[in-house]
Amino acid sequence: KNEVEQSPQNLTAQEGEFITINCSYSVGISALHWLQQHPGGGIVSLFMLSSGKKKHGRLIATINIQEKHSSLHITASHPRDSAVYICAVNNMEYGNKLVFGAGTILRVKS
Amino acid sequence: DGGITQSPKYLFRKEGQNVTLSCEQNLNHDAMYWYRQDPGQGLRLIYYSQIVNDFQKGDIAEGYSVSREKKESFPLTVTSAQKNPTAFYLCASSIDPGGQTQYFGPGTRLLVL
């Protein structure tokens, strides 16, 4: 079993829809990250969370430490949100190294 | 502009050939990392370096080698011993040795001819 599991693997949405991507992990963590990878391949950091909730523009990230679960929400989705969204955790059992989920491929249609 | 650069963007390797991927950063970060990305899988750590002249193997180091002679540079060599080198390679750096927050380069796609 992978230490970080994301769902769904693929997601197609219509412009304007509310989108949720889920991440579950099975190890002790010091932080959880949501990353965005555009078709060109470069990765940018969206959020780093250790508790609670963070919001940036139309993006909201939440984490439930007890349930070992995090969600990334996109409100009023737009075609430019189309990308791969990656969940990663700092694994405390592995010297805080980053461990990555396989990613969720999001396509927003206009 | 501060950031991480990787070159080339695309690289082709012939059978039995060693190739070297470049990674340079001007963020003054001590720690640097190399990851491999395959379709449907999460990024996997190849090698990392927390300080100049020191580096450690990651989860999938076999068939790869690195050097860290300068703080700014962390080149990755894909040797002929790596039997399945076709992948997307990402370099990252971090100001903290633990690598809690990492900044990623644009990546290099390696293809085998």
Side-chain angles (χ1 to χ4, degrees), chain A residues 67-82:
Chain A
E67 293 186 7
K68 295 191 172 182
H69 181 269
S70 174
S71 293
L72 176 69
H73 305 287
I74 304 175
T75 62
S77 60
H78 190 276
R80 65 174 174 267
D81 297 325
S82 299

Side-chain angles (χ1 to χ4, degrees), chain B:
Chain B
D1 262 37
I4 302 176
T5 56
Q6 290 186 242
S7 61
K9 190 174 174 71
Y10 295 95
L11 186 58
F12 298 92
R13 193 189 95 162
K14 293 180 183 177
E15 293 288 338
Q17 189 181 41
N18 292 356
V19 291
T20 298
L21 285 61
S22 166
C23 177
E24 305 276 331
Q25 54 99 358
N26 61 4
L27 300 167
N28 201 33
H29 287 175
D30 284 315
M32 296 185 74
Y33 306 81
W34 273 107
Y35 295 96
R36 172 181 170 135
Q37 187 179 36
D38 294 282
Q41 294 189 44
L43 277 69
R44 292 181 290 168
L45 183 64
I46 305 172
Y47 267 99
Y48 65 101
S49 167
Q50 293 177 309
I51 198 164
V52 174
N53 291 322
D54 188 43
F55 49 82
Q56 282 79 41
K57 293 181 179 179
D59 300 317
I60 54 164
E62 186 173 347
Y64 300 98
S65 66
V66 293
S67 62
R68 187 84 188 276
E69 296 175 4
K70 297 188 297 182
K71 189 175 187 177
E72 304 79 26
S73 179
F74 191 39
L76 174 74
T77 296
V78 184
T79 75
S80 56
Q82 173 48 244
K83 297 306 177 191
N84 185 22
T86 297
F88 189 62
Y89 291 87
L90 283 153
C91 178
S93 71
S94 174
I95 197 163
D96 66 279
Q100 184 161 59
T101 302
Q102 297 181 20
Y103 297 84
F104 289 86
T108 293
R109 190 163 300 279
L110 176 62
L111 298 163
V112 176
L113 295 176

Side-chain angles (χ1 to χ4, degrees), chain A residues 49-54 61-63 65:
Chain A
L49 295 160
S50 53
S51 65
K53 177 178 173 178
K54 286 190 176 179
T62 64
I63 187 168
I65 298 293

Side-chain angles (χ1 to χ4, degrees), chain A residues 41-55:
Chain A
I43 291 176
V44 296
S45 177
L46 298 174
F47 295 104
M48 184 173 84
L49 295 160
S50 53
S51 65
K53 177 178 173 178
K54 286 190 176 179
K55 184 175 189 290

